[in-house]
Short mmCIF file of all heavy atoms in Angstrom, two decimals:
data_model
loop_
_atom_site.label_atom_id
_atom_site.label_comp_id
_atom_site.label_asym_id
_atom_site.label_seq_id
_atom_site.Cartn_x
_atom_site.Cartn_y
_atom_site.Cartn_z
N THR A 1 -11.59 -10.82 -1.02
CA THR A 1 -11.81 -12.26 -1.19
C THR A 1 -12.88 -12.56 -2.23
O THR A 1 -13.09 -13.72 -2.59
CB THR A 1 -12.23 -12.93 0.14
OG1 THR A 1 -13.53 -12.46 0.52
CG2 THR A 1 -11.22 -12.66 1.23
N ILE A 2 -13.58 -11.53 -2.72
CA ILE A 2 -14.69 -11.74 -3.65
C ILE A 2 -14.18 -11.62 -5.09
O ILE A 2 -13.54 -10.64 -5.44
CB ILE A 2 -15.81 -10.72 -3.40
CG1 ILE A 2 -16.35 -10.86 -1.98
CG2 ILE A 2 -16.94 -10.91 -4.42
CD1 ILE A 2 -17.31 -9.76 -1.58
N LEU A 3 -14.49 -12.62 -5.88
CA LEU A 3 -14.11 -12.64 -7.30
C LEU A 3 -15.37 -12.76 -8.14
O LEU A 3 -16.27 -13.55 -7.83
CB LEU A 3 -13.19 -13.82 -7.61
CG LEU A 3 -11.87 -13.87 -6.86
CD1 LEU A 3 -11.18 -15.20 -7.15
CD2 LEU A 3 -10.98 -12.72 -7.28
N HIS A 4 -15.43 -12.00 -9.23
CA HIS A 4 -16.56 -12.09 -10.16
C HIS A 4 -16.01 -12.63 -11.47
O HIS A 4 -15.15 -12.01 -12.09
CB HIS A 4 -17.19 -10.71 -10.37
CG HIS A 4 -18.40 -10.76 -11.24
ND1 HIS A 4 -18.41 -10.23 -12.48
CD2 HIS A 4 -19.62 -11.29 -11.03
CE1 HIS A 4 -19.60 -10.42 -13.03
NE2 HIS A 4 -20.35 -11.07 -12.16
N MET A 5 -16.49 -13.80 -11.85
CA MET A 5 -16.03 -14.44 -13.08
C MET A 5 -17.23 -14.84 -13.91
O MET A 5 -18.00 -15.71 -13.49
CB MET A 5 -15.19 -15.68 -12.75
CG MET A 5 -13.98 -15.38 -11.89
SD MET A 5 -13.03 -16.85 -11.45
CE MET A 5 -14.23 -17.83 -10.57
N ARG A 6 -17.41 -14.21 -15.07
CA ARG A 6 -18.54 -14.48 -15.96
C ARG A 6 -19.83 -14.43 -15.18
O ARG A 6 -20.21 -13.39 -14.69
CB ARG A 6 -18.35 -15.77 -16.70
CG ARG A 6 -17.19 -15.72 -17.66
CD ARG A 6 -17.20 -16.89 -18.58
NE ARG A 6 -15.96 -16.82 -19.38
CZ ARG A 6 -15.79 -17.46 -20.47
NH1 ARG A 6 -16.74 -18.25 -20.93
NH2 ARG A 6 -14.66 -17.35 -21.13
N ASN A 7 -20.51 -15.55 -15.06
CA ASN A 7 -21.79 -15.58 -14.35
C ASN A 7 -21.67 -16.15 -12.95
O ASN A 7 -22.66 -16.66 -12.42
CB ASN A 7 -22.82 -16.40 -15.16
CG ASN A 7 -23.22 -15.70 -16.43
OD1 ASN A 7 -23.11 -14.49 -16.52
ND2 ASN A 7 -23.66 -16.47 -17.40
N ARG A 8 -20.50 -16.10 -12.39
CA ARG A 8 -20.29 -16.65 -11.04
C ARG A 8 -19.64 -15.62 -10.14
O ARG A 8 -18.80 -14.84 -10.57
CB ARG A 8 -19.36 -17.86 -11.12
CG ARG A 8 -20.00 -19.07 -11.79
CD ARG A 8 -19.09 -20.26 -11.79
NE ARG A 8 -18.74 -20.60 -10.41
CZ ARG A 8 -17.63 -21.24 -10.09
NH1 ARG A 8 -16.77 -21.61 -11.01
NH2 ARG A 8 -17.37 -21.52 -8.84
N ILE A 9 -20.04 -15.66 -8.90
CA ILE A 9 -19.39 -14.85 -7.87
C ILE A 9 -18.81 -15.84 -6.87
O ILE A 9 -19.51 -16.71 -6.35
CB ILE A 9 -20.37 -13.92 -7.16
CG1 ILE A 9 -20.94 -12.90 -8.15
CG2 ILE A 9 -19.69 -13.21 -6.00
CD1 ILE A 9 -22.02 -12.03 -7.58
N VAL A 10 -17.52 -15.74 -6.60
CA VAL A 10 -16.84 -16.64 -5.69
C VAL A 10 -16.28 -15.83 -4.54
O VAL A 10 -15.68 -14.77 -4.74
CB VAL A 10 -15.70 -17.39 -6.43
CG1 VAL A 10 -14.98 -18.32 -5.48
CG2 VAL A 10 -16.24 -18.15 -7.61
N GLY A 11 -16.45 -16.31 -3.34
CA GLY A 11 -15.86 -15.67 -2.17
C GLY A 11 -16.81 -14.84 -1.35
O GLY A 11 -16.44 -14.29 -0.32
N LEU A 12 -18.06 -14.74 -1.77
CA LEU A 12 -19.01 -13.90 -1.06
C LEU A 12 -19.29 -14.42 0.35
O LEU A 12 -19.30 -13.65 1.31
CB LEU A 12 -20.31 -13.81 -1.86
CG LEU A 12 -21.28 -12.72 -1.50
CD1 LEU A 12 -20.61 -11.36 -1.55
CD2 LEU A 12 -22.47 -12.74 -2.45
N THR A 13 -19.48 -15.72 0.49
CA THR A 13 -19.72 -16.29 1.82
C THR A 13 -18.48 -16.18 2.69
O THR A 13 -18.58 -15.90 3.88
CB THR A 13 -20.16 -17.77 1.69
OG1 THR A 13 -21.33 -17.82 0.86
CG2 THR A 13 -20.49 -18.36 3.05
N THR A 14 -17.31 -16.34 2.10
CA THR A 14 -16.08 -16.18 2.86
C THR A 14 -15.97 -14.76 3.39
O THR A 14 -15.65 -14.54 4.55
CB THR A 14 -14.85 -16.53 2.00
OG1 THR A 14 -14.95 -17.90 1.61
CG2 THR A 14 -13.55 -16.30 2.74
N ALA A 15 -16.25 -13.78 2.54
CA ALA A 15 -16.18 -12.38 2.96
C ALA A 15 -17.19 -12.09 4.08
O ALA A 15 -16.86 -11.44 5.08
CB ALA A 15 -16.44 -11.46 1.78
N ALA A 16 -18.40 -12.60 3.91
CA ALA A 16 -19.42 -12.39 4.94
C ALA A 16 -19.04 -13.08 6.24
O ALA A 16 -19.26 -12.54 7.34
CB ALA A 16 -20.77 -12.90 4.43
N GLY A 17 -18.47 -14.27 6.13
CA GLY A 17 -18.04 -14.99 7.34
C GLY A 17 -16.92 -14.26 8.07
O GLY A 17 -16.90 -14.20 9.30
N MET A 18 -15.99 -13.70 7.31
CA MET A 18 -14.90 -12.93 7.92
C MET A 18 -15.46 -11.70 8.64
O MET A 18 -15.04 -11.38 9.74
CB MET A 18 -13.89 -12.53 6.86
CG MET A 18 -13.12 -13.72 6.29
SD MET A 18 -12.25 -13.39 4.76
CE MET A 18 -11.01 -12.24 5.31
N TRP A 19 -16.42 -11.05 8.01
CA TRP A 19 -17.04 -9.86 8.61
C TRP A 19 -17.76 -10.24 9.90
O TRP A 19 -17.63 -9.58 10.93
CB TRP A 19 -17.98 -9.25 7.57
CG TRP A 19 -18.60 -7.96 7.96
CD1 TRP A 19 -17.98 -6.75 8.11
CD2 TRP A 19 -19.98 -7.74 8.25
NE1 TRP A 19 -18.90 -5.80 8.45
CE2 TRP A 19 -20.14 -6.39 8.55
CE3 TRP A 19 -21.10 -8.58 8.26
CZ2 TRP A 19 -21.37 -5.83 8.87
CZ3 TRP A 19 -22.32 -8.02 8.57
CH2 TRP A 19 -22.46 -6.66 8.87
N ALA A 20 -18.52 -11.36 9.85
CA ALA A 20 -19.27 -11.80 11.02
C ALA A 20 -18.35 -12.25 12.15
O ALA A 20 -18.60 -11.98 13.33
CB ALA A 20 -20.23 -12.92 10.63
N VAL A 21 -17.26 -12.96 11.82
CA VAL A 21 -16.36 -13.43 12.87
C VAL A 21 -15.60 -12.24 13.50
O VAL A 21 -15.21 -12.30 14.67
CB VAL A 21 -15.44 -14.54 12.35
CG1 VAL A 21 -14.21 -14.03 11.66
CG2 VAL A 21 -15.05 -15.49 13.46
N ALA A 22 -15.43 -11.17 12.75
CA ALA A 22 -14.85 -9.96 13.35
C ALA A 22 -15.80 -9.39 14.39
O ALA A 22 -15.37 -8.91 15.45
CB ALA A 22 -14.56 -8.91 12.27
N ALA A 23 -17.10 -9.46 14.12
CA ALA A 23 -18.09 -9.02 15.10
C ALA A 23 -18.04 -9.91 16.34
O ALA A 23 -18.15 -9.41 17.47
CB ALA A 23 -19.49 -9.04 14.48
N VAL A 24 -17.85 -11.21 16.14
CA VAL A 24 -17.69 -12.12 17.28
C VAL A 24 -16.48 -11.70 18.11
O VAL A 24 -16.56 -11.61 19.34
CB VAL A 24 -17.56 -13.59 16.79
CG1 VAL A 24 -17.12 -14.51 17.92
CG2 VAL A 24 -18.87 -14.07 16.19
N GLY A 25 -15.37 -11.45 17.46
CA GLY A 25 -14.18 -10.98 18.18
C GLY A 25 -14.42 -9.67 18.89
O GLY A 25 -13.97 -9.48 20.03
N LEU A 26 -15.15 -8.77 18.26
CA LEU A 26 -15.44 -7.47 18.87
C LEU A 26 -16.22 -7.64 20.16
O LEU A 26 -15.86 -7.07 21.19
CB LEU A 26 -16.22 -6.61 17.87
CG LEU A 26 -16.40 -5.15 18.25
CD1 LEU A 26 -16.42 -4.29 16.99
CD2 LEU A 26 -17.68 -4.93 19.02
N VAL A 27 -17.30 -8.44 20.14
CA VAL A 27 -18.11 -8.57 21.35
C VAL A 27 -17.38 -9.35 22.44
O VAL A 27 -17.52 -9.04 23.62
CB VAL A 27 -19.52 -9.14 21.07
CG1 VAL A 27 -20.30 -8.22 20.15
CG2 VAL A 27 -19.49 -10.54 20.51
N ILE A 28 -16.59 -10.35 22.05
CA ILE A 28 -15.81 -11.06 23.07
C ILE A 28 -14.75 -10.12 23.63
O ILE A 28 -14.51 -10.12 24.83
CB ILE A 28 -15.20 -12.36 22.50
CG1 ILE A 28 -16.30 -13.38 22.23
CG2 ILE A 28 -14.17 -12.94 23.48
CD1 ILE A 28 -15.83 -14.65 21.54
N GLY A 29 -14.15 -9.31 22.78
CA GLY A 29 -13.18 -8.32 23.25
C GLY A 29 -13.79 -7.34 24.23
O GLY A 29 -13.11 -6.81 25.11
N ALA A 30 -15.09 -7.09 24.09
CA ALA A 30 -15.80 -6.20 25.01
C ALA A 30 -16.25 -6.94 26.28
O ALA A 30 -16.83 -6.33 27.17
CB ALA A 30 -17.01 -5.58 24.31
N GLY A 31 -15.98 -8.24 26.34
CA GLY A 31 -16.34 -9.01 27.54
C GLY A 31 -17.69 -9.67 27.46
O GLY A 31 -18.17 -10.23 28.45
N LEU A 32 -18.33 -9.66 26.31
CA LEU A 32 -19.66 -10.25 26.14
C LEU A 32 -19.50 -11.69 25.62
O LEU A 32 -19.80 -12.00 24.48
CB LEU A 32 -20.49 -9.40 25.18
CG LEU A 32 -20.64 -7.94 25.58
CD1 LEU A 32 -21.30 -7.14 24.48
CD2 LEU A 32 -21.41 -7.82 26.89
N TYR A 33 -19.03 -12.56 26.51
CA TYR A 33 -18.69 -13.93 26.13
C TYR A 33 -19.89 -14.73 25.62
O TYR A 33 -19.78 -15.46 24.63
CB TYR A 33 -18.08 -14.68 27.32
CG TYR A 33 -16.76 -14.12 27.77
CD1 TYR A 33 -16.66 -13.35 28.92
CD2 TYR A 33 -15.60 -14.36 27.05
CE1 TYR A 33 -15.45 -12.84 29.34
CE2 TYR A 33 -14.38 -13.85 27.46
CZ TYR A 33 -14.31 -13.09 28.61
OH TYR A 33 -13.11 -12.59 29.02
N ILE A 34 -21.02 -14.64 26.29
CA ILE A 34 -22.19 -15.42 25.90
C ILE A 34 -22.65 -15.00 24.51
O ILE A 34 -22.93 -15.85 23.65
CB ILE A 34 -23.32 -15.29 26.94
CG1 ILE A 34 -22.88 -15.95 28.25
CG2 ILE A 34 -24.62 -15.91 26.43
CD1 ILE A 34 -23.81 -15.71 29.42
N LEU A 35 -22.73 -13.70 24.25
CA LEU A 35 -23.13 -13.21 22.95
C LEU A 35 -22.12 -13.66 21.88
O LEU A 35 -22.52 -14.12 20.80
CB LEU A 35 -23.23 -11.68 22.95
CG LEU A 35 -23.56 -11.02 21.61
CD1 LEU A 35 -24.89 -11.52 21.07
CD2 LEU A 35 -23.58 -9.51 21.77
N GLY A 36 -20.85 -13.57 22.16
CA GLY A 36 -19.82 -13.95 21.20
C GLY A 36 -19.81 -15.43 20.89
O GLY A 36 -19.84 -15.83 19.72
N VAL A 37 -19.78 -16.25 21.92
CA VAL A 37 -19.74 -17.70 21.71
C VAL A 37 -21.06 -18.18 21.09
O VAL A 37 -21.07 -18.98 20.16
CB VAL A 37 -19.43 -18.45 23.02
CG1 VAL A 37 -19.56 -19.96 22.84
CG2 VAL A 37 -18.02 -18.10 23.50
N GLY A 38 -22.18 -17.66 21.58
CA GLY A 38 -23.48 -18.03 21.03
C GLY A 38 -23.60 -17.63 19.56
O GLY A 38 -24.11 -18.41 18.73
N SER A 39 -23.12 -16.45 19.22
CA SER A 39 -23.16 -16.00 17.83
C SER A 39 -22.28 -16.88 16.95
O SER A 39 -22.65 -17.21 15.81
CB SER A 39 -22.69 -14.55 17.73
OG SER A 39 -23.57 -13.70 18.41
N ALA A 40 -21.13 -17.26 17.45
CA ALA A 40 -20.24 -18.14 16.68
C ALA A 40 -20.89 -19.50 16.44
O ALA A 40 -20.75 -20.07 15.35
CB ALA A 40 -18.90 -18.31 17.39
N VAL A 41 -21.60 -20.01 17.42
CA VAL A 41 -22.31 -21.29 17.24
C VAL A 41 -23.36 -21.13 16.15
O VAL A 41 -23.49 -21.98 15.27
CB VAL A 41 -22.93 -21.78 18.56
CG1 VAL A 41 -23.91 -22.92 18.34
CG2 VAL A 41 -21.85 -22.18 19.55
N LEU A 42 -24.10 -20.02 16.17
CA LEU A 42 -25.10 -19.79 15.12
C LEU A 42 -24.45 -19.66 13.75
O LEU A 42 -24.96 -20.19 12.76
CB LEU A 42 -25.91 -18.53 15.45
CG LEU A 42 -26.80 -18.62 16.68
CD1 LEU A 42 -27.43 -17.27 16.98
CD2 LEU A 42 -27.87 -19.70 16.50
N LEU A 43 -23.31 -18.95 13.67
CA LEU A 43 -22.59 -18.83 12.41
C LEU A 43 -22.15 -20.21 11.90
O LEU A 43 -22.29 -20.51 10.72
CB LEU A 43 -21.35 -17.96 12.58
CG LEU A 43 -21.57 -16.47 12.78
CD1 LEU A 43 -20.27 -15.79 13.16
CD2 LEU A 43 -22.15 -15.86 11.53
#
């Protein structure tokens, strides 16, 4: 999702958000609902 064009980088926040939301899914998948939902609210 990350593109580098001249002096601009596009997609870095999207990539980081996808990575972080995967972590949210991981902890909810492990049954840690409070950590997952709370982390998503912070995100």
Side-chain angles (χ1 to χ4, degrees):
T1 68
I2 300 171
L3 300 172
H4 184 250
M5 301 178 301
R6 294 192 186 197
N7 291 336
R8 291 183 58 206
I9 297 174
V10 179
L12 196 55
T13 303
T14 298
M18 292 165 67
W19 186 68
V21 85
V24 168
L26 190 148
V27 298
I28 291 174
L32 304 171
Y33 295 104
I34 293 171
L35 176 59
V37 173
S39 296
V41 168
L42 293 174
L43 289 171

